Amino acid sequence: MEAVIQRVEKQIQDILAANPEHFLVEIKVKPTNNIKVFIDGDNGIGIDDLVKYNRALYKELEEAALFPEGDFSLEVSSAGLGEPLKMHRQYVKNLNRFVEVTQLEGQKTEGQLTAVDETGIVVEETVGKGKKAEVVKHTIAFSDIKSTQIQIKF
């Protein structure tokens, strides 16, 4: 499966090269030859772009005869809010949004993502309520992060 993932990754990267604001997040291939490609954009990604990428990649996979029996399915979608952040560009894109960060040792931090650099992130957490509320800044290295989820606040 690793060879399939590498081949699909090269093909989708070539397709995405025409639009540098869009980027590959992840590729998953199931044993049933179900290929799932997750794409994101610095300013989001529209359904029209996803359809265009799906058609182009499907055509290339057919022509490459990666699956000689032609027995594969392809899904190209956005990373989605329910998916954890996986790439540095996703952190930058989601600056000032509320996140929940789970660290490797299990500690969870909820707050606003206020800074991102090459080594980690800063999350500002409001502790307490009213006049006694204070903002605590947590600097978390990428190497200490198990997962980061966007939190929807209403």
Side-chain angles (χ1 to χ4, degrees), residues 67-82:
F67 304 95
E69 304 296 317
D71 60 341
F72 72 94
S73 64
L74 175 65
E75 296 175 41
V76 176
S77 65
S78 64
L81 285 176

Side-chain angles (χ1 to χ4, degrees), residues 72-140:
F72 72 94
S73 64
L74 175 65
E75 296 175 41
V76 176
S77 65
S78 64
L81 285 176
E83 294 291 317
L85 302 181
K86 297 186 185 304
M87 302 181 67
H88 185 269
R89 280 176 83 169
Q90 289 180 294
Y91 283 91
V92 172
K93 170 190 169 188
N94 287 291
L95 266 171
N96 299 315
R97 294 191 80 172
F98 286 90
V99 295
E100 179 183 82
V101 180
T102 304
Q103 295 184 42
L104 294 174
E105 67 273 358
Q107 177 186 350
K108 290 188 178 190
T109 304
E110 267 192 64
Q112 188 173 16
L113 178 64
T114 58
V116 179
D117 64 22
E118 296 305 314
T119 60
I121 61 175
V122 175
V123 175
E124 291 186 2
E125 176 183 21
T126 302
V127 179
K129 294 189 182 208
K131 291 183 179 182
K132 294 185 179 188
E134 64 178 281
V135 175
V136 178
K137 287 187 178 189
H138 302 275
T139 302
I140 306 168

Side-chain angles (χ1 to χ4, degrees), residues 44-56:
I45 187 164
I47 189 76
D48 292 341
D49 288 321
L50 293 170
V51 169
K52 178 178 71 174
Y53 295 143
N54 188 307
R55 289 181 180 154

Side-chain angles (χ1 to χ4, degrees), residues 5-19:
I5 291 173
Q6 288 176 355
R7 181 72 183 263
V8 171
E9 181 176 352
K10 184 192 179 328
Q11 289 176 311
I12 194 66
Q13 293 288 14
D14 290 346
I15 292 167
L16 291 173
N19 194 345

